[in-house]
Amino acid sequence: MRIPLSWLREYTELPADASSEDLMADLVRVGFEEEDVHRPADSISGPVVVGQVLSLVKEPQSNGKTINWCQVRVVPEGREQTLEGKGIEPSGIQGIVCGAHNFVEGDKVVVTLPGAVLPGDFHISPRKTYGHVSAGMIASARELGLGDEHDGIIVLSTLGLDPELGTDALELFGLNDEAAEINVTPDRSYAFSLRGVAREYAHATGTPFTDPASTVVVPAGLGDGFPVTLSDDAPIYGVPGCDRFVARVVRGVDASRPTPQWMVSRLRLAGVRSISLPVDISNYVMLELGQPNHCYDLATLDGGITVRRALPGERILTLDDKDRELVLEDLVIADDSGAIGIAGVMGGARTEVSDATTDILVEAAHFDTITVARSRRRHKLPSEASKRFERGVDWALAPIAAQRVVDLLVELAGGTVDDAGTDVGTAPEIVRIFLPAGFAAARIGVDYSTEQIVGSLGDLGAAVEDAEGGWNVTVPSWRNDLETKEDLSEEIARLVGYDTIPATLPVAPPGRGLSRVQQQRRRVLQALADAGLVEVLAYPFVTKTSNDVFGTPEPGAAVQAVKLANPLSEEFGWLRTSLLPGLVEVAKRNISRGFRDLALYEAGLVFLPSGELGTASIPPLGAKPSEDVLDSLYNGIPAQPLHIGGLLVGKDSPAAPGNSPRAWDWADALDAARLVADVLGVEVTVEQGAHQAFHPGRAAVLRLRGGELVGYAGELHPKLLASLDLPARTVAFEVDGDILFQAAADVVVAKDMSTYPVATQDVALIVDGGLPAAQVQDALREGAGELLEDVALFDVYEGTGIPEGKKSLAFGLRFRAEDRTLTADEASEARAAAVAVAAERFGAVQR
């Protein structure tokens, strides 16, 4: 919201020397945010004065152009020139070359004299051109920064101006004024007006406030002078689209009259372009009071007005000259011939006011916020009116704003108002809130006095009445954001001052902190980072092909996934069922930028629908849904387990003297997956597996001891890597974190370590080539008994010396007793027992 300072001073006592920065500093105290300062004087400086063309000689030039050699008087005849400077004639008559042709002798124009600086750091000085010394410039609107018009120079008579020669043109056009721009939060729609900002400034500074609405006299008994019907057979959430419509008629206006310069200047500083007198008046009142309004050419209306929902197939040509197809939910202003405006958003071109308009129908209405917001978004049609309506407008303001427009049309356009007007609709219920005496103090932490509470609420415009144990507060009509006692407490804190609230740190109650799962998640992520992997956050939006490949181990199997209704990209229009597609995209992006050695991991949610998504209808607003409705909402949400995945590309370290980098392989991916389980203290089994996204012979499946699937690890499929433009031998893993968290103990207890030395024995067993090494390892662990501390596979061999169809598995066994040093015989005996179980179960033979 831009606030011209000269305009604001009409409603509050803003000091004459206050700047935009001063104003914003005061408004920050009551909860607004600083945005910008708009000060034309920063880019333009005088002398820029009013002059009159005394003579004009047209001189054709060899380049085909015709210039005007002008003598321009810039001081009243008989007076001396008081300005001094190189090129300023003491006689008050300047010789100026001008290329525009939209003026004649006798016209009053704007003259930039030598020494002036125009926007763009354009300095004016005497210069020789076309055979003359041009001492100044006759300015156009664009050259002064007044607009984009550059068809010719400014002729003051066309603006309805006849100032004295030598008048400061910067002051005449309001270029010495300035505006402060503040950010208004959506819940404070009343501040989208000079009226609202002036009231807030008065709150912040304690200065008097004059309500511009209080100076408007509305005739009593406005009835149904112009036929208006409010009809809504499909209200949204039971709220009618329009609950008040005020219509007034002004006849005999001269719409071609120029808008007064003071109004044009204020509108320009407020960020609104001047269009025509009736439209400018409409915009001026909207900015002044906060109530959008609209002017119709009465002669173009066919019958009375009906406010209704759009009809099937109905269309409208809006003021921006775009033909729009309406939908049944749109609220429209219509006459007997059809829609003439989208309510609260934009009017129609058929009833637009033009210079030929003589009779005007003025509309000021109150529309439903949701209806306006949906129409604005649906038609991609933002407007100053919709910005205010969708945030909430004062219901009581409509007749006042209509009367203000009428008064200005009569004053500036020479119209005559009809005595009969129209005011139809139903007033909303008055909002009354009970505020307990100690509630605000307990809520805010400040011991507010009765005077502070009652005074603050009274300053808001609320009516405060004493009640047993507190106060009954009647909320003013312009504060539709105040609904609860918490809202009132917030307003008390804001107006008394946020700086009065003590800064104290809360004391955390004992026995609280991170939940068990949060602690587990942090341990896992830290462990992966400590292992050298880098955490990334990938987008959860993927292609359908990615879900089909990574979302199921079986090729061609159907993958249930969530399709987005309004995706950012049609290609990436699905929610992920696996983390690996996102990690692949991150890796591809890094590789394209020259980073070829990567170790990435991510912990994030995946989306696994198993039934019907969503609900048949949206619960109504204004009431807490029942437990059944809440259950149906939750049931319509897809399962979202936390997965942990990683992708390893290239080599494990950069090349350096004394260091030979090693390419990542499937064992590294498996180790990373097992690290996740180890950190949580969960025992998982590893066996050779199959997944369409992984290499047929280099994929491992991880399961809990009970057989529940945890995830996959290994080398990605070569054909998949080629299609993804990823380096060969790229490896990856993905595990279900929720399953591991659930299987983990609340506390991971470290085992006691014996202080006695360890006895190490190795064994190599020949087994069938298709037998998983994990099964052999389990057999050894079972057979070795309680002396076995650890068993690990360290070599797999197939080739010379090994029968065809067989393989050699070499294990290292670590034995240790808690109460003594083991003898070699004890270790050998335990080793033999382990081999015996493997031989019995799998036919294993020692090499």
Side-chain angles (χ1 to χ4, degrees):
M1 176 68 188
R2 293 187 184 183
I3 312 147
L5 269 57
S6 63
W7 199 351
L8 185 66
R9 288 189 177 97
E10 293 187 2
Y11 314 129
T12 189
E13 293 183 1
L14 180 68
D17 60 348
S19 65
S20 295
E21 290 82 358
D22 297 330
L23 172 61
M24 290 191 294
D26 289 324
L27 292 177
V28 164
R29 294 169 52 192
V30 286
F32 293 100
E33 297 178 3
E34 301 177 355
E35 284 290 332
D36 202 355
V37 172
H38 302 271
R39 188 179 291 119
D42 288 344
S43 60
I44 185 171
S45 61
V48 182
V49 299
V50 173
Q52 186 174 33
V53 180
L54 300 180
S55 65
L56 180 155
V57 178
K58 295 185 178 297
E59 298 182 355
Q61 303 298 310
S62 59
N63 59 6
K65 294 179 61 177
T66 298
I67 60 98
N68 300 309
W69 171 239
C70 306
Q71 298 298 310
V72 184
R73 180 179 292 279
V74 294
V75 295
E77 188 173 3
R79 296 188 194 175
E80 294 183 358
Q81 174 63 275
T82 58
L83 298 174
E84 297 180 354
K86 182 180 180 181
I88 297 180
E89 295 293 331
S91 65
I93 299 176
Q94 302 288 129
I96 299 175
V97 172
C98 182
H101 300 283
N102 65 318
F103 66 102
V104 296
E105 293 179 357
D107 281 342
K108 289 186 176 180
V109 295
V110 177
V111 180
T112 58
L113 296 174
V117 180
L118 301 185
D121 199 29
F122 184 68
H123 293 254
I124 303 299
S125 61
R127 62 190 182 94
K128 188 170 182 179
T129 180
Y130 295 109
H132 300 281
V133 176
S134 182
M137 185 177 73
I138 305 176
S140 68
R142 189 168 72 179
E143 288 163 343
L144 294 179
L146 299 176
D148 295 330
E149 295 82 2
H150 197 56
D151 295 336
I153 57 135
I154 298 173
V155 178
L156 296 178
S157 61
T158 63
L159 304 179
L161 300 175
D162 186 21
E164 183 182 63
L165 300 185
T167 299
D168 185 351
L170 300 183
E171 184 175 351
L172 178 68
F173 287 102
L175 296 174
N176 290 328
D177 198 1
E178 59 183 287
E181 185 173 358
I182 59 172
N183 179 37
V184 179
T185 54
D187 61 322
R188 300 172 70 181
S189 58
Y190 64 92
F192 279 109
S193 66
L194 270 295
R195 179 196 189 205
V197 173
R199 180 183 283 110
E200 290 297 317
Y201 179 78
H203 294 335
T205 60
T207 55
F209 163 64
T210 301
D211 188 350
S214 65
T215 63
V216 179
V217 179
V218 180
L222 288 179
D224 53 358
F226 186 87
V228 175
T229 303
L230 305 183
S231 173
D232 190 351
D233 55 0
I236 299 177
Y237 300 132
V239 179
C242 178
D243 58 7
R244 189 170 200 177
F245 196 102
V246 176
R248 304 292 301 279
V249 175
V250 183
R251 302 183 187 274
V253 302
D254 182 0
S256 64
R257 287 188 184 182
T259 303
Q261 193 56 46
W262 59 267
M263 182 178 287
V264 173
S265 300
R266 287 182 173 179
L267 290 174
R268 183 180 64 252
L269 262 182
V272 177
R273 179 173 58 93
S274 175
I275 298 174
S276 67
L277 180 56
V279 176
D280 290 349
I281 289 174
S282 174
N283 287 331
Y284 186 85
V285 173
M286 177 183 66
L287 294 174
E288 181 181 59
L289 300 177
Q291 167 70 56
N293 56 88
H294 190 69
C295 292
Y296 300 90
D297 186 337
L298 187 61
T300 63
L301 290 176
D302 184 3
I305 281 180
T306 300
V307 186
R308 57 169 172 79
R309 299 289 171 176
L311 302 176
E314 194 167 16
R315 306 186 71 87
I316 184 175
L317 182 67
T318 48
L319 287 173
D320 57 355
D321 290 327
K322 291 185 178 180
D323 183 67
R324 302 180 184 275
E325 182 179 359
L326 301 171
V327 302
L328 299 180
E329 196 180 69
D330 286 328
L331 189 73
V332 299
I333 313 297
D335 62 7
D336 292 349
S337 63
I340 58 174
I342 304 176
V345 180
M346 184 172 285
R350 181 167 62 82
T351 57
E352 182 180 7
V353 172
S354 66
D355 287 349
T357 299
T358 57
D359 300 333
I360 291 177
L361 176 73
V362 178
E363 165 213 310
H366 186 265
F367 300 116
D368 170 43
T369 57
I370 295 177
T371 295
V372 173
R374 289 186 179 180
S375 291
R376 192 266 298 171
R377 292 181 178 90
R378 182 181 300 116
H379 296 288
K380 296 180 176 61
L381 192 57
S383 66
E384 289 295 323
S386 65
K387 179 168 67 175
R388 287 161 174 80
F389 276 126
E390 67 182 84
R391 289 164 172 80
V393 172
D394 183 359
W395 185 91
L397 202 56
I400 298 172
Q403 183 64 44
R404 178 66 167 145
V405 173
V406 166
D407 292 343
L408 289 173
L409 285 173
V410 170
E411 176 187 350
L412 303 177
T416 303
V417 62
D418 282 4
D419 292 334
T422 302
D423 187 353
V424 295
T426 304
E429 293 184 6
I430 297 176
V431 178
R432 292 186 174 89
I433 304 170
F434 175 69
L435 179 65
F439 183 80
R443 193 75 173 178
I444 307 301
V446 177
D447 189 14
Y448 295 114
S449 66
T450 299
E451 291 75 15
Q452 288 176 315
I453 294 173
V454 175
S456 297
L457 297 177
D459 288 343
L460 291 177
V464 184
E465 299 177 354
D466 290 335
E468 184 177 353
W471 300 273
N472 289 321
V473 181
T474 302
V475 176
S477 60
W478 57 84
R479 291 303 303 269
N480 53 23
D481 58 312
L482 302 181
E483 298 177 341
T484 65
K485 57 183 181 291
E486 287 82 5
D487 297 332
L488 297 180
S489 300
E490 182 179 326
E491 289 299 297
I492 293 168
R494 183 174 69 89
L495 296 185
V496 173
Y498 292 130
D499 55 337
T500 65
I501 301 175
T504 57
L505 293 176
V507 178
R512 301 196 182 175
L514 297 177
S515 68
R516 167 178 168 269
V517 172
Q518 288 172 331
Q519 292 174 343
Q520 292 171 332
R521 184 174 183 273
R522 289 195 178 189
R523 287 204 305 270
V524 168
L525 298 185
Q526 187 62 51
L528 290 173
D530 292 343
L533 281 73
V534 176
E535 184 178 11
V536 297
L537 295 176
Y539 287 115
F541 314 122
V542 300
T543 65
K544 184 178 185 303
T545 302
S546 295
N547 274 340
D548 291 342
V549 172
F550 290 98
T552 177
E554 300 296 330
V559 177
Q560 284 189 299
V562 179
K563 190 177 190 306
L564 298 173
N566 187 25
L568 296 176
S569 165
E570 286 299 328
E571 181 183 5
F572 296 92
W574 300 78
L575 289 178
R576 65 190 179 188
T577 58
S578 165
L579 297 182
L580 296 183
L583 289 169
V584 165
E585 292 299 321
V586 174
K588 289 171 62 177
R589 187 162 55 250
N590 278 272
I591 290 172
S592 69
R593 287 159 173 76
F595 300 97
R596 305 194 62 84
D597 298 326
L598 303 170
L600 310 175
Y601 78 98
E602 179 182 10
L605 302 181
V606 297
F607 305 86
L608 306 177
S610 57
E612 184 177 349
L613 295 176
T615 56
S617 61
I618 300 175
L621 299 177
K624 181 181 178 180
S626 66
E627 293 299 325
D628 291 341
V629 172
L630 290 174
D631 288 341
S632 68
L633 289 173
Y634 288 126
N635 292 336
I637 299 174
Q640 301 175 45
L642 177 77
H643 279 204
I644 302 167
L647 189 73
L648 309 176
V649 183
K651 295 181 170 56
D652 65 347
S653 60
N659 178 54
S660 298
R662 181 182 62 83
W664 297 112
D665 60 22
W666 63 269
D668 295 303
L670 180 58
D671 285 346
R674 296 181 66 175
L675 174 63
V676 175
D678 291 344
V679 169
L680 297 174
V682 177
E683 187 177 358
V684 295
T685 64
V686 179
E687 58 189 55
Q688 187 168 358
H691 192 292
Q692 62 175 325
F694 286 83
H695 191 291
R698 298 169 188 160
V701 60
L702 290 85
R703 299 181 185 276
L704 297 181
R705 279 292 175 184
E708 187 174 2
L709 177 67
V710 173
Y712 292 88
E715 182 180 316
L716 293 180
H717 200 290
K719 291 183 178 179
L720 177 63
L721 293 176
S723 67
L724 295 174
D725 292 328
L726 286 176
R729 300 300 177 91
T730 295
V731 298
F733 75 91
E734 183 170 5
V735 295
D736 189 323
D738 284 355
I739 292 177
L740 293 174
F741 294 154
Q742 187 176 1
D746 291 343
V747 178
V748 178
V749 180
K751 295 181 179 179
D752 291 336
M753 291 191 64
S754 172
T755 58
Y756 292 95
V758 65
T760 303
Q761 299 256 350
D762 293 339
V763 61
L765 302 176
I766 299 175
V767 297
D768 291 338
L771 181 65
Q775 295 184 20
V776 179
Q777 184 171 324
D778 289 342
L780 292 174
R781 182 181 289 107
E782 180 181 336
E786 62 181 12
L787 295 180
L788 181 68
E789 183 178 83
D790 183 53
V791 55
L793 176 71
F794 65 85
D795 184 57
V796 179
Y797 174 71
E798 293 178 282
T800 304
I802 303 298
E804 185 175 354
K806 300 288 186 177
K807 63 182 177 182
S808 172
L809 303 177
F811 296 90
L813 290 79
R814 292 165 53 90
F815 298 99
R816 192 189 325 242
E818 295 182 357
D819 56 352
R820 67 188 188 281
T821 299
L822 292 178
T823 65
D825 290 342
E826 287 178 307
S828 297
E829 185 178 339
R831 172 181 175 277
V835 171
V837 173
E840 178 184 355
R841 189 168 299 174
F842 305 114
V845 177
Q846 291 192 67
R847 286 183 63 185

